[in-house]
Amino acid sequence: MARSLYQWLWHHEFWLPPGITWEDMQESEDIRYPRPRDLLLSVPFALILVVIRCAFERAIALPLSTKLGVRDKQRPKAQPNPVLETFYSVCCKNPEEGELLTLSKQCDLPVRKVERWFRRRRNMDRPSLSKKFCEACWRFTFYIISFFTGLTVLYDKPWLWDHRECWTGYPQQPLQPSLFWYYMLELSFYWSLVFTLPFDVKRKDFKEQIVHHAATIFLISFSYCANYIRIGTLVLVIHDASDCFLEPTKIFNYMKWKKTCDSLFMIFSAVFLISRLVIYPYTVLYNTYYYSMEIFQPFFGYYFVNTLLIILQLLHVFWSCLIIHMVYKFILQGTMEKDMRSDTEESDKDEERDKTREKEKNGIPYFSNATSNGYIQRNGSGPLNSRAHLVNGHVKDR
């Protein structure tokens, strides 16, 4: 049964255009074609990249973050509580009001203290700033290397300048060693991202990232097996171009270099929108959908590879909407909004609000901080006279 499944899976009608069989793809001493078993090399290479990443983050990125002034915020720790910890780990990290009431009775604690415990516990699980910095440094290093490797490999290739050359002689296009190693580098990197996914910084588009990694791995693997390597190299270079600007934008954001961060963000936005919404559809989608029809008739591989490419384009549109929204906010406010994909830490204002309530309960008058207009306001009451402001701790008329 396994043999029958294997023969069905590798039937030439799935992978090759009509009129071409696997016998036509036989190798010789001078000609080598892609072989599916070559993809197995990407798994050990991915593990090697994971080891290199760990060494890079510990030996280079972490000391660099200290020298550049990246400091982790001191977070108040949640007090040990077996009941709340069990609920947090097993049931829910953000309980509803009814669940908070039940837990407060079980622990004999006020509801506000239970709510504060969960807030602090969630903040403890959030990645530190130094972890985000190290991850961004690693990805920036890889994207720079892979992007310039791709340009070096493709610079003298005819299909980089004339996209119809992607299909000249297809599928009997010999595999060049430089293209093989470039493919292994990219595929191994995306496998390494899958391996480290549980430990990496989780953002709001976590599910989209999983779909992106899966689609990318399937696309690279299928394009290699079906010898879509020429079009695949174009996809890889286009994706790496904008990523080279995304990661340094994050790095400077963690360093609090606001102007540099804003400038790089605008450059990244322009490169991303142009490369993913203009260059990618024309160079890749139009190429695979129309130009390939000049060489062969549609077959399963044709539909499958176009489906994967369209999935990537839908993800491009999703991320483009987020970026356009951030650019719009930037134009209105003059500063870059926080990355909407980031899981931001819950504000200490909640802690301050709890303290305020406790002080009021104990009969202690409490004043909130001065507002941005320089006026003061008693907690829970309306604003004071607009002529009043603080001078040496006293209220005084202007």
Side-chain angles (χ1 to χ4, degrees):
M1 181 177 180
R3 183 178 179 84
S4 300
L5 180 62
Y6 180 84
Q7 291 177 348
W8 174 83
L9 178 63
W10 294 107
H11 197 276
H12 64 85
E13 291 184 354
F14 292 156
W15 300 86
L16 301 174
I20 304 293
T21 64
W22 291 116
E23 284 73 17
D24 299 320
M25 303 290 294
Q26 294 296 324
E27 298 180 345
S28 63
E29 295 181 359
D30 301 328
I31 299 177
R32 185 188 174 210
Y33 295 112
R35 295 172 296 180
R37 64 175 177 269
D38 296 339
L39 298 175
L40 297 176
L41 291 174
S42 63
V43 176
F45 287 162
L47 297 176
I48 293 174
L49 282 179
V50 172
V51 174
I52 294 174
R53 172 183 174 175
C54 294
F56 173 86
E57 291 184 353
R58 180 170 297 184
I60 298 177
L62 192 58
L64 183 62
S65 68
T66 304
K67 291 184 178 180
L68 294 177
V70 178
R71 297 288 185 269
D72 292 332
K73 184 178 180 181
Q74 295 296 325
R75 300 167 177 168
K77 295 183 178 180
Q79 296 296 324
N81 189 309
V83 175
L84 299 182
E85 185 66 37
T86 301
F87 186 90
Y88 180 88
S89 303
V90 177
C91 300
C92 177
K93 296 183 178 181
N94 197 356
E96 301 292 337
E97 185 176 354
E99 294 171 327
L100 288 172
L101 290 172
T102 303
L103 291 170
S104 68
K105 293 178 181 178
Q106 293 178 2
C107 301
D108 194 21
L109 292 172
V111 176
R112 286 197 300 272
K113 287 190 176 181
V114 175
E115 186 179 6
R116 183 191 308 164
W117 187 94
F118 276 95
R119 183 166 57 251
R120 290 181 173 181
R121 186 65 181 83
R122 288 192 296 269
N123 283 337
M124 288 172 60
D125 278 352
R126 288 185 171 87
S128 63
L129 200 61
S130 59
K131 177 178 174 60
K132 294 179 181 180
F133 180 90
C134 292
E135 180 180 317
C137 282
W138 164 250
R139 296 196 182 203
F140 172 64
T141 302
F142 179 84
Y143 287 136
I144 283 290
I145 293 174
S146 63
F147 177 67
F148 284 101
T149 299
L151 291 181
T152 303
V153 169
L154 296 178
Y155 179 77
D156 59 344
K157 303 299 186 293
W159 62 87
L160 180 64
W161 314 106
D162 183 2
H163 305 321
R164 280 186 168 86
E165 288 293 328
C166 289
W167 312 110
T168 301
Y170 180 83
Q172 295 168 308
Q173 297 171 337
L175 176 63
Q176 301 177 22
S178 60
L179 297 178
F180 168 78
W181 289 111
Y182 179 51
Y183 246 67
M184 286 298 107
L185 176 68
E186 293 280 358
L187 182 58
S188 300
F189 176 70
Y190 282 102
W191 270 121
S192 71
L193 292 183
V194 171
F195 295 158
T196 60
L197 205 57
F199 313 103
D200 288 341
V201 176
K202 291 182 176 60
R203 293 181 169 83
K204 293 180 181 179
D205 62 346
F206 179 72
K207 294 180 180 179
E208 289 80 5
Q209 286 283 356
I210 294 177
V211 175
H212 175 268
H213 295 341
T216 302
I217 290 173
F218 276 116
L219 180 60
I220 294 176
S221 301
F222 179 80
S223 63
Y224 184 86
C225 294
N227 206 10
Y228 282 110
I229 290 181
R230 294 187 179 185
I231 198 69
T233 53
L234 296 180
V235 174
L236 295 174
V237 169
I238 290 172
H239 278 70
D240 289 340
S242 59
D243 291 333
C244 290
F245 293 98
L246 174 61
E247 301 306 327
T249 302
K250 296 179 183 178
I251 291 173
F252 285 110
N253 183 43
Y254 303 145
M255 293 167 54
K256 309 299 183 184
W257 289 26
K258 203 62 180 173
K259 291 184 178 179
T260 306
C261 174
D262 291 345
S263 301
L264 280 173
F265 171 71
M266 296 304 293
I267 296 174
F268 158 74
S269 301
V271 174
F272 184 95
L273 295 176
I274 293 173
S275 63
R276 305 292 180 93
L277 300 184
V278 179
I279 298 177
Y280 178 85
Y282 173 72
T283 303
V284 177
L285 293 181
Y286 187 83
N287 192 358
T288 56
Y289 193 80
Y290 288 104
Y291 288 165
S292 60
M293 301 286 287
E294 299 176 357
I295 306 299
F296 53 78
Q297 294 298 315
F299 62 106
F300 174 79
Y302 167 84
Y303 294 112
F304 188 68
V305 75
N306 276 284
T307 300
L308 292 176
L309 293 172
I310 290 173
I311 291 174
L312 282 182
Q313 182 60 21
L314 293 176
L315 292 171
H316 296 164
V317 173
F318 169 78
W319 283 311
S320 296
C321 291
L322 297 182
I323 292 172
I324 291 172
H325 180 76
M326 294 175 71
V327 171
Y328 176 73
K329 291 289 186 181
F330 177 84
I331 294 174
L332 290 182
Q333 300 175 359
T335 184
M336 188 183 73
E337 191 185 45
K338 282 186 177 180
D339 186 355
M340 291 180 296
R341 303 175 306 133
S342 298
D343 186 11
T344 55
E345 188 169 333
E346 294 176 70
S347 173
D348 290 337
K349 291 180 181 178
D350 299 325
E351 296 280 346
E352 295 175 2
R353 192 180 301 115
D354 290 341
K355 292 178 182 177
T356 303
R357 291 171 181 168
E358 290 179 4
K359 288 184 178 181
E360 288 179 337
K361 185 177 180 180
N362 295 329
I364 301 174
Y366 179 80
F367 289 87
S368 64
N369 293 332
T371 63
S372 59
N373 294 327
Y375 305 140
I376 62 171
Q377 179 180 346
R378 184 180 297 272
N379 188 61
S381 64
L384 295 178
N385 189 286
S386 60
R387 291 168 54 85
H389 65 102
L390 282 178
V391 177
N392 297 327
H394 301 286
V395 178
K396 182 179 179 180
D397 289 340
R398 284 183 171 174

